[in-house]
Amino acid sequence: MTDFAVLPDPYRVEPIAGTLDSTVVLPGSKSLTNRALIVAALADGTSTLTGVGLSDDTEAMIGALEALGIQTEVDGTTVTVHGRGGALDVPASELDANQSGTSARFLLPMLAIAGSGTLTGHEQMRGRPMGDLTKALRGLGATVESDVLPIPVSSGVTGREVSIGAEVSSQFISALLLSAPAFRDGLDLTLVGTPVSQPYIDMTISVMAAFGATVDVSEGRIQVAAGGYEAQTYAIEPDASTATYPLAAAAIVGGRITVVGLGSMSLQGDAEFATRVLEPMGASVFVDNDSIEVRGSGILDPLSVDLGDMSDTAPTFAAVAAKASGTSSVTGIGFIRTTKESDRVQASVDELDRLGVSSSVDSDGFTVSGGPHQTTAVDTYEDHRMAMGLALVGLTDAPVDINDPGCVAKTFPGYWDMLATLRAEARPAPLVLAIDGPAGSGKSTVAKLISLVLRLPHLDTGAMYRAVTYAVLQAGVHLDDHAAVTAAAESATIVVGPSSVVIDGVDVTTAIREPDVTAAVSTVAAIPGVRVVLAESQREWARKRGAAVLEGRDIGTAVFPDATLKIYLDASVDERARRRASETGDEDLEAMKIAIAERDRLDMTRETDPLTVADGAVVIDTTSLDIDGVVEAIANEWPSRQ
Ligand code: CDP
């Protein structure tokens, strides 16, 4: 774990040159840990919590529970809690929530159960609102003498029915719910307004249910039966808010990051950050029961999104928005300006501005115009999420210096170590599966199937040569005018998607397969300048993706001579002509044979990067092979499948 005594301040986050390729194990969810600690403390008997995320916040909670007479033992990430069936001691001194919002909120009703005592916290916590909660406790008959910390409580809950404002912080609602089974008559809670952060209320109820509580939810009303909790062994999920940082790093830097232990069954709303933010911004996201994987290209589209129910991800959003190619905005998070460790709306805007990324505060969130940033030191407002989010900006383009890096200890003391591990495990060059071969050898079919099997992006480089050929034919450029054809290749923007090809905004998917393009493409592809331009853009494309399948004529010889795996597909001219004829519906097989043989001749005899078997390539003659067998054989050679 990072030794904060020797951590430089500011801490410089340097760009990562390669592409990410890591599987990360993250600390347990702080939100789940603090809920489970309260519930286990009120339960009858000994509970064991595994996968606990120990941090300043959870330690504040454990310390406070000890002060309330609940014995705990911590062993690595396992915490044993000796519940006393709802009995709590009056604390001998002030109960200290330190900087932890959940601890402060969850502990106040616990003090009411204990009967008396004073709740206090770190200075920053004293400015954070508690009023809706103190008011509700008073409504339940408790004597609560202040609306901000320190808060003396001198008598407990006697009633059952109360209403609470739901629009400031869901933590007030969760706080009442968690203690409610230990109230004399349980709780009948009416919610006034639409709750912010509904997933956190769902999370609270699900932890309560796991420990045997009966909770009834109906529109605007939650009822909890009295009767306490039963002790349990309970596994805490990794922290989904924390998971947003490495997952966003994959989208920003490019490459792959997998977070294990979090998946489609997660209790945490923030587990949807990847699918609701990173995917629409262009990353590929794979979620199963037990993992979330993001594969990014380093290229991010702008996004406007409402993060009202996952507001802790706002600083992560600020970082990805800073990297997007356009203007992004977040709405629905106005309430975090007063309830969190800092005003994360203003803080995000101020620090992005400092980095030279223009942004502005909106009525309910903020707007960011993505673009290059400059190296500077940014403030972190004693706010772990501001530090962790802003650090992501430094992972590409230019370093960023993080002031007070130690503040991450609040929830993730190992954060800087995790970034160092991502850096150490990054691959200096992309993983490339190169598939070369002549027309009709099965390249495209095999490349497409294998990209699905290996979950890798796929680039048909032939489509790029065809697109340039189409463009120059359209423009009437003479094919002997190499300078003009090269200039056309250089200025063109070509986007080859899974099922479309677009050049300079024009969809040419069908047009590039027409006979005039097919007849001219090998002449265009023989022009050295064209090859230089397209090969470089193919390298850039693959570098951004970290790992990819590229098919063409020169991938293993010229574009990526160090490719991870090289395949050369071949087949007899007769068979290749037959395949091509059946694809195009052309009936003149003899003419097809002649055309294919002529293209072979041009491609194999040109001066620059002719079609030939690359050094180290596996040659597969597909004349009489079935495609599935070829795909499986190649997939088995791929490193991540071994
Ligand atoms: O699909 P088909 O085999 O007809 O060819 P393609 O992959 O679409 O490529 C069309 C032409 O582009 C080839 O005949 C080559 O002349 C050229 N090409 C190249 O020179 N280098 C590549 N990496 C890919 C294609």
Side-chain angles (χ1 to χ4, degrees), residues 439-440 443 460-462 465-466 513 521-522 525 531 552-555 580 599 603 606:
K443 275 189 327 287
D460 172 4
T461 63
Y465 286 93
R466 285 175 177 272
R513 305 286 160 198
V521 64
S522 290
R531 303 206 69 77
R553 299 287 195 287
D554 62 340
I555 307 303
R580 205 30 69 94
R599 201 136 61 89
D603 289 344
R606 70 180 173 224

Side-chain angles (χ1 to χ4, degrees), residues 608-633:
T608 312
D609 306 331
L611 170 62
T612 176
V613 178
D615 279 350
V618 179
V619 180
I620 303 176
D621 187 327
T622 66
T623 308
S624 54
L625 288 180
D626 81 297
I627 289 292
D628 289 347
V630 174
V631 169
E632 193 50 33

Side-chain angles (χ1 to χ4, degrees), residues 147-476:
D147 289 327
V148 287
L149 296 179
I151 303 177
V153 175
S154 54
S155 80
V157 167
T158 52
R160 169 176 162 79
E161 282 177 40
V162 77
S163 58
I164 187 162
E167 284 171 336
V168 174
S169 168
S170 65
Q171 288 178 9
F172 304 144
I173 298 165
S174 288
L176 288 174
L177 294 178
L178 289 167
S179 283
F183 293 164
R184 194 186 60 201
D185 300 319
L187 179 68
D188 184 347
L189 187 63
T190 301
L191 308 183
V192 182
T194 310
V196 291
S197 315
Q198 178 69 40
Y200 281 101
I201 300 175
D202 299 341
M203 178 197 288
T204 300
I205 294 172
S206 124
V207 177
M208 293 170 70
F211 285 74
T214 308
V215 185
D216 271 341
V217 183
S218 54
E219 188 64 34
R221 186 175 180 201
I222 306 176
Q223 296 176 81
V224 182
Y229 292 107
E230 294 151 19
Q232 298 292 331
T233 294
Y234 186 79
I236 308 281
E237 289 179 10
D239 194 278
S241 318
T242 302
T244 64
Y245 308 112
L247 293 175
I252 288 172
V253 177
R256 172 198 69 94
I257 294 289
T258 309
V259 168
V260 289
L262 260 190
S264 50
M265 310 298 283
S266 174
L267 301 176
Q268 302 169 75
D270 290 5
E272 290 184 5
F273 185 79
T275 47
R276 281 176 47 196
V277 174
L278 300 177
E279 196 164 48
M281 292 183 90
S284 303
V285 177
F286 305 93
V287 182
D288 63 21
N289 280 347
D290 197 39
S291 72
I292 302 176
E293 181 171 299
V294 171
R295 289 170 183 264
S297 62
I299 300 167
L300 288 164
D301 296 329
L303 176 72
S304 291
V305 65
D306 182 333
L307 292 179
D309 56 1
M310 46 198 305
S311 62
D312 276 349
T313 67
T316 320
F317 180 78
V320 284
K323 295 291 168 185
S325 55
T327 302
S328 298
S329 60
V330 49
T331 54
I333 57 163
F335 68 96
I336 68 170
R337 303 196 60 177
T338 53
T339 50
K340 303 290 180 180
E341 284 83 341
S342 69
D343 174 353
R344 289 178 182 157
V345 171
Q346 188 71 50
S348 295
V349 166
D350 286 350
E351 299 317 305
L352 289 182
D353 277 346
R354 209 192 288 273
L355 286 163
V357 176
S358 108
S359 54
S360 58
V361 173
D362 305 328
S363 59
D364 202 22
F366 57 85
T367 296
V368 179
S369 299
H373 69 274
Q374 69 206 21
T375 297
T376 189
V378 290
D379 282 340
T380 53
Y381 307 83
E382 293 183 65
D383 185 343
H384 55 133
R385 298 208 182 286
M386 287 308 302
M388 294 192 277
L390 288 166
L392 298 174
V393 178
L395 293 180
T396 57
D397 304 328
V400 168
D401 294 324
I402 304 291
N403 285 333
D404 185 21
C407 70
V408 300
K410 184 167 197 289
T411 51
F412 191 7
Y415 186 66
W416 306 114
D417 285 348
M418 182 196 73
L419 287 190
T421 304
L422 298 192
R423 183 183 306 282
E425 290 177 353
R427 293 179 181 273
L431 285 177
V432 169
L433 171 46
I435 304 182
D436 289 308
S441 58
K443 275 189 327 287
S444 292
T445 315
V446 167
K448 269 185 202 139
L449 288 173
I450 205 146
S451 76
L452 293 177
V453 172
L454 297 177
R455 286 182 175 180
L456 296 176
H458 156 227
L459 182 62
D460 172 4
T461 63
M464 300 175 75
Y465 286 93
R466 285 175 177 272
V468 170
T469 304
Y470 171 84
V472 293
L473 290 179
Q474 280 296 103

Side-chain angles (χ1 to χ4, degrees), residues 573-591:
V573 174
D574 284 4
E575 173 64 11
R576 293 193 282 123
R578 198 191 55 70
R579 288 175 187 169
R580 205 30 69 94
S582 75
E583 273 166 33
T584 56
D586 207 321
E587 280 168 12
D588 189 346
L589 201 57
E590 275 313 308

Side-chain angles (χ1 to χ4, degrees), residues 91-169:
S93 57
E94 291 191 335
L95 203 58
D96 189 359
N98 194 8
Q99 271 184 299
S100 166
T102 52
S103 299
R105 276 92 189 220
F106 298 172
L107 285 165
L108 193 63
M110 296 286 274
L111 261 189
I113 294 172
S116 70
T118 297
L119 180 67
T120 190
H122 182 274
E123 205 178 292
Q124 184 198 54
M125 195 59 231
R126 294 181 193 188
R128 293 172 65 182
M130 298 288 285
D132 286 286
L133 181 58
T134 51
K135 207 166 120 208
L137 284 169
R138 280 186 211 113
L140 288 167
T143 310
V144 180
E145 287 158 29
S146 165
D147 289 327
V148 287
L149 296 179
I151 303 177
V153 175
S154 54
S155 80
V157 167
T158 52
R160 169 176 162 79
E161 282 177 40
V162 77
S163 58
I164 187 162
E167 284 171 336
V168 174
S169 168

